[in-house]
Amino acid sequence: ELQHRTGTEAPAKKNWHPQAYTLGAISNFMSTFLTFPIYKVVFRQQIHAMAVSEAVRQLWHEGPQYFYRGIYPPLLSKTLQGTLLFGTYDSLLCSLSPDGPHSLGHRWTAGLMSGVVEAVALSPFERVQNVLQDGRKQARFPSTFSILKEFNSYGLWGRLSLGYYRGFWPVLVRNSLGSALYFSFKDPIQDGLAEQGLPHWVPALVSGSVNGTITCLVLYPLIVLVANMQSHIGWQRMPSLWASAQDVWDTRGRKVLLIYRGGSLVILRSSVTWGLTTAIHDFLQRKSHSMKELKD
């Protein structure tokens, strides 16, 4: 079982495997839909620096019909994210170490590069999502189409710098480091738990939950910075990256604790999301391996 997954005793996968892409798409789609209300509460905290109860009351006051407002961009982006993240990582890892075993350096490099691909491809989706979820912009931008129309009214450079790729550099750092950390330590944690004789689904679930949560908390200041940068819209002069970071620091009272406000919900969302994603990925790998053995 461990031999198949880690490649420490058997040759590593040499060809691309569609199940890695398929699993990422399905698992991320499901987890995004289930945890979207939690994410929306976290987003309000990041923007307005308010307590959990206050953010929930604000959403409830707006009406249940707005609970899933803005879900389509993240639903599409997270589905594509899972496809790119797991599929690209799998392909890069096999290119770096086609005969196995996969070292920590191989996993880190493949994870880092898959995060870069993810950031380039999906940053526009996150940008639209963050504008939609800002309650201050509901009247001006009631739908995804209205935001896209605004972005497309800019010139070519404006569409990129002020529109779709606003806040790209912190997104790039967050995604690349996050993917590198997740893939570097996911398997070691899972292997250690598997040796304890636990049910086969427990190590993957716990590994994904713990590793995803720690990674998210380490990079949480970047998450807050991205949310604030991408909530700006229009042709007015946009604050620079440094000015945006300084503004976040000042509005949080220059206290790290206030920057991490909403951390409890981030832990919950990350645990559910990455736990499900990792467990489903592991389950499909097992099924694929079993079917291949039967054919052989």
Side-chain angles (χ1 to χ4, degrees):
E1 182 177 299
L2 294 180
Q3 170 184 335
H4 162 63
R5 195 167 55 76
T6 63
T8 54
E9 299 177 24
K13 297 172 286 185
K14 297 183 180 181
N15 301 315
W16 89 296
H17 294 269
Q19 65 267 21
Y21 294 82
T22 303
L23 166 64
I26 295 174
S27 59
N28 276 32
F29 180 93
M30 294 175 60
S31 61
T32 299
F33 185 83
L34 293 173
T35 61
F36 185 74
I38 301 174
Y39 177 86
K40 201 162 186 179
V41 172
V42 172
F43 178 82
R44 292 296 176 90
Q45 290 183 305
Q46 293 169 351
I47 292 295
H48 304 297
M50 59 179 60
V52 174
S53 58
E54 186 178 351
V56 172
R57 281 197 301 269
Q58 186 184 86
L59 287 173
W60 186 256
H61 179 72
E62 293 173 4
Q65 68 271 24
Y66 289 107
F67 249 55
Y68 277 86
R69 167 185 156 85
I71 192 175
Y72 294 112
L75 203 59
L76 178 58
S77 67
K78 292 299 182 181
T79 301
L80 291 175
Q81 178 194 42
T83 304
L84 290 174
L85 194 63
F86 284 95
T88 305
Y89 171 78
D90 184 78
S91 299
L92 289 172
L93 190 62
C94 292
S95 297
L96 291 170
S97 180
D99 298 320
H102 304 310
S103 66
L104 176 61
H106 292 144
R107 296 196 303 273
W108 176 272
T109 303
L112 189 76
M113 295 308 298
S114 65
V116 170
V117 172
E118 174 195 356
V120 173
L122 302 181
S123 184
F125 292 96
E126 185 176 6
R127 166 67 158 140
V128 174
Q129 171 190 346
N130 283 337
V131 174
L132 280 172
Q133 291 182 157
D134 189 348
R136 298 168 296 184
K137 297 179 175 61
Q138 287 182 2
R140 184 182 175 191
F141 300 104
S143 65
T144 300
F145 177 77
S146 62
I147 298 173
L148 297 180
K149 184 178 179 180
E150 171 73 15
F151 289 167
N152 291 332
S153 68
Y154 306 160
L156 177 59
W157 178 247
R159 292 180 188 178
L160 297 177
S161 61
L162 301 179
Y164 296 106
Y165 282 93
R166 166 70 178 164
F168 173 70
W169 293 114
V171 170
L172 181 66
V173 174
R174 181 200 64 191
N175 288 15
S176 57
L177 289 181
S179 298
L181 288 170
Y182 173 76
F183 285 114
S184 292
F185 301 108
K186 175 176 69 70
D187 285 349
I189 294 175
Q190 188 170 341
D191 293 345
L193 293 173
E195 293 173 355
Q196 306 302 316
L198 299 171
H200 65 83
W201 56 270
V202 173
L205 183 67
V206 174
S207 173
S209 297
V210 172
N211 197 31
T213 298
I214 293 175
T215 299
C216 186
L217 287 178
V218 169
L219 299 176
Y220 190 76
L222 282 176
I223 297 175
V224 176
L225 177 60
V226 168
N228 279 271
M229 290 186 69
Q230 293 191 339
S231 67
H232 291 282
I233 193 169
W235 269 109
Q236 73 274 17
R237 180 175 176 80
M238 292 283 190
S240 64
L241 174 61
W242 172 253
S244 298
Q246 188 66 43
D247 180 64
V248 170
W249 179 245
D250 291 339
T251 56
R252 298 307 188 274
R254 296 177 173 268
K255 295 181 179 179
V256 175
L257 184 62
L258 291 181
I259 292 180
Y260 274 86
R261 171 169 282 180
S264 59
L265 288 178
V266 171
I267 292 174
L268 175 61
R269 187 190 66 187
S270 297
S271 296
V272 173
T273 300
W274 287 109
L276 286 175
T277 299
T278 308
I280 296 173
H281 188 276
D282 183 75
F283 173 78
L284 289 184
Q285 277 189 328
R286 292 174 188 276
K287 287 294 183 182
S288 175
H289 181 57
S290 298
M291 292 176 63
K292 188 179 298 184
E293 285 184 339
L294 289 176
K295 289 180 181 180
D296 296 339

